[in-house]
Amino acid sequence: NAIHETGWALLELGTSGRFNDSLQAYAAGMVEAAVSEELIYMHWMNTVVNYCGPFEYEAGYCEKLKSFLETNLEWMQEEMERNKDSTYWHQVRLALLQLKGLEDSYGGHVTFPTGRFTIKPLGFLLLQLSGDLEDLEPALNKTKTKRSMGSGSCSALIKLLPGQRDLLVAHNTWNSYQHMLRIVKKYSFQFHEGPQDDSLLIPGNKLIFSSYPGTLFSCDDFYILSSRLVTLETTIGNSNPVLWKYVRPGGSVLEWLRSVVANRLALDGATWADVFKKFNSGTYNNQWMIVDYKAFVPGESNPGSRVLTILEQIPGMVVVADKTTELYKKTYWASYNLPSFEAVFNASGLQALVTRYGDWFSYDKSPRAQIFRRNQSQVHDMESMMQLIRYNDFLHDPLSLCSACRPQPNAENAISARSDLNPTNGSYPFQALRQRSHGGIDAKVTSSGLAKSLRLWAVSGPTWDQLPPFQWSSSPFHNLLHMGQPDLWKFSPVEFGWD
């Protein structure tokens, strides 16, 4: 745990192929809880302790959520029993066994389950669901503490350097500042694709990703995989209430699990999309980018396909396309919480928001779309990529202005938001532009060479490149629980990798 030195804790976890997959998975969860128990406790207290109890909570919604999750878990158990030879359900089972091992170990009662097993619906499953809950809340009619309308959550840039000499991938996570207990994790599992003894090992056996205590996947969603894929996303959400009817507990696998299974089984962007789109839950609706470094050849003018696959999901709809040619033509792909496919944009209800609030919600003219378009040509190496993915000069950048706001410069309108710096007494057309303890809380960058050896550059905490560093004690949010966190967030990027 080097959070007070670098902003990050570090976890490397490997299992032995001498044991069967189920035992490996349960043991992996068990040992992760054992070594990160203190961080898990603090992260739980900072972020979800009061979600559906034990003190103030919305009883009606929490009953509906508990029932939804129990029904969904039961349906998945039935599918696992019915499809004992399926590679898909084998991987779902392993992910749930890992969660079971985490929960049992933390609770101090370790018993390896041999048959059916249960997961607590409102236990550590909640840490896996932070993205899915954004959509389960409106789908199940939660009335209090709704998500701030227009709230950003992540920026991403995929940049082809001049002469096609390299392809860089960068991502930052936007979240509440209470989520800043962070762990970079490396998992090395010897899992087989299916339950049969002669089944091949999964392509994504090794992975490195940015994560949180007690979370068995990234949740920011930035992964470097041994299959030479890099997978990442930014959230696009859903603003069309008619679509919530597609969010049902039966027949759907929640997004966090689908991303785990796709990362493990996929060899390329097309198969990743095929695995991921099965059993679309309509929750944690994102634009996924799958970069296949196996298809990238330095200096090649245009391989035509396979380098970049884009997938967008909303309730009832998943759209996939190969965007390699577009990437090579424009030299970049930027992602900033708005769908790029017209069909998804229209179905998700964004046109009505454009009509009401203007370009802020439009794909081509939103502030981040314009900043990326203007600044992407300045990226020529890892350092300049890191600078752009951390960029926020809202006090001086005309593209950060919000004409309907008072004052007009707005810290949300940047590649890495700093909503804590918006004045509390300003006037704003919608919630996302107000003062909040929310913004870009990290940045990660990799390249073709780094990704090959599962390496990345990462920096933790809100950006301080053009702005004062965030400090809990002097911020308007000093009363929010932030156990285990440094007071002053002024860290530099560090390289993570294992030889």
Side-chain angles (χ1 to χ4, degrees), residues 29 41 49 57 86-87 103 124 133 159 204 226 252 274 287 289 293 328-329 337 474 490:
Y41 172 77
V49 66
Y57 60 98
S86 153
T87 55
E103 196 153 74
F124 285 150
L133 287 172
K159 174 64 183 167
S226 53
S252 71
D274 285 344
Q287 177 192 92
M289 294 147 272
Y293 274 123
Y328 276 72
K329 197 165 132 193
N337 308 127
S474 60
K490 195 177 180 182

Side-chain angles (χ1 to χ4, degrees), residues 189-218:
F189 298 150
Q190 303 305 306
F191 293 161
H192 296 82
E193 289 184 338
Q196 305 83 358
D197 291 339
D198 59 350
S199 185
L200 296 169
L201 290 179
I202 55 171
N205 251 331
K206 291 185 181 160
L207 62 162
I208 181 172
F209 55 101
S210 52
S211 187
Y212 303 83
T215 307
L216 304 179
F217 73 123
S218 168

Side-chain angles (χ1 to χ4, degrees), residues 156 158 169-171 221-222 230-234 287-289 291:
I158 296 162
V169 182
H171 182 273
D221 293 329
F222 182 84
V230 172
T231 61
L232 61 158
E233 53 83 359
T234 77
Q287 177 192 92
W288 277 92
M289 294 147 272
V291 174

Side-chain angles (χ1 to χ4, degrees), residues 87-386:
T87 55
Y88 186 92
W89 289 108
H90 180 59
Q91 297 305 326
V92 169
R93 185 167 185 275
L94 294 180
L96 291 173
L97 272 172
Q98 194 182 345
L99 180 57
K100 178 76 172 162
L102 182 92
E103 196 153 74
D104 286 359
S105 171
Y106 187 90
H109 49 86
V110 173
T111 319
F112 176 67
T114 47
R116 281 189 92 149
F117 58 94
T118 53
I119 303 279
K120 288 182 198 152
L122 300 178
F124 285 150
L125 182 60
L126 282 181
L127 292 178
Q128 321 309 315
L129 292 181
S130 57
D132 289 285
L133 287 172
E134 287 175 16
D135 297 297
L136 285 169
E137 288 177 3
L140 300 175
N141 295 316
K142 186 173 197 277
T143 53
K144 293 182 198 135
T145 58
K146 282 190 173 151
R147 190 163 173 245
S148 298
M149 191 181 106
S151 181
S153 66
C154 307
S155 299
L157 182 66
I158 296 162
K159 174 64 183 167
L160 196 60
L161 295 188
Q164 297 86 35
R165 72 174 188 274
D166 206 347
L167 182 64
L168 305 186
V169 182
H171 182 273
N172 67 38
T173 307
W174 295 21
N175 212 332
S176 91
Y177 293 164
Q178 288 171 285
H179 284 78
M180 292 196 296
L181 285 184
R182 305 302 308 282
I183 310 184
V184 171
K185 298 184 185 179
K186 182 190 182 185
Y187 284 169
S188 308
F189 298 150
Q190 303 305 306
F191 293 161
H192 296 82
E193 289 184 338
Q196 305 83 358
D197 291 339
D198 59 350
S199 185
L200 296 169
L201 290 179
I202 55 171
N205 251 331
K206 291 185 181 160
L207 62 162
I208 181 172
F209 55 101
S210 52
S211 187
Y212 303 83
T215 307
L216 304 179
F217 73 123
S218 168
C219 198
D220 314 342
D221 293 329
F222 182 84
Y223 303 91
I224 304 172
L225 308 165
S226 53
S227 55
R228 305 275 329 270
L229 300 182
V230 172
T231 61
L232 61 158
E233 53 83 359
T234 77
T235 304
I236 55 177
N238 168 46
S239 303
N240 179 0
V242 174
L243 299 185
W244 295 130
K245 66 183 180 207
Y246 294 113
V247 176
R248 296 184 289 255
S252 71
V253 176
L254 291 171
E255 198 270 2
W256 76 273
L257 263 175
R258 286 184 290 118
S259 66
V260 167
V261 175
N263 278 340
R264 287 183 185 168
L265 291 175
L267 271 167
D268 54 29
T271 53
W272 194 98
D274 285 344
V275 174
F276 180 83
K277 68 186 181 188
K278 283 180 186 167
F279 311 110
N280 175 15
S281 56
T283 56
Y284 205 11
N285 296 294
N286 297 321
Q287 177 192 92
W288 277 92
M289 294 147 272
I290 300 93
V291 174
D292 187 351
Y293 274 123
K294 295 189 300 299
F296 171 72
V297 179
E300 187 177 359
S301 57
N302 183 3
S305 64
R306 288 186 47 229
V307 174
L308 177 63
T309 305
I310 300 296
L311 176 149
E312 290 175 1
Q313 167 204 304
I314 53 172
M317 179 190 282
V318 179
V319 179
V320 182
D322 189 299
K323 291 287 184 178
T324 304
T325 298
E326 186 175 328
L327 170 67
Y328 276 72
K329 197 165 132 193
K330 278 174 40 185
T331 76
Y332 77 102
W333 179 275
S335 185
Y336 37 83
N337 308 127
L338 288 164
S340 63
F341 296 120
E342 200 173 346
V344 178
F345 189 94
N346 293 338
S348 67
L350 281 164
Q351 204 51 59
L353 294 178
V354 174
T355 304
R356 185 168 175 194
Y357 297 107
D359 286 344
W360 202 90
F361 286 94
S362 85
Y363 181 68
D364 287 324
K365 296 178 187 157
S366 60
R368 280 185 283 167
Q370 295 192 63
I371 295 171
F372 270 131
R373 195 178 304 129
R374 180 192 67 195
N375 291 19
Q376 55 83 23
S377 60
Q378 297 165 14
V379 175
H380 49 87
D381 56 16
M382 293 285 289
E383 197 177 334
S384 48
M385 182 62 132
M386 183 63 85

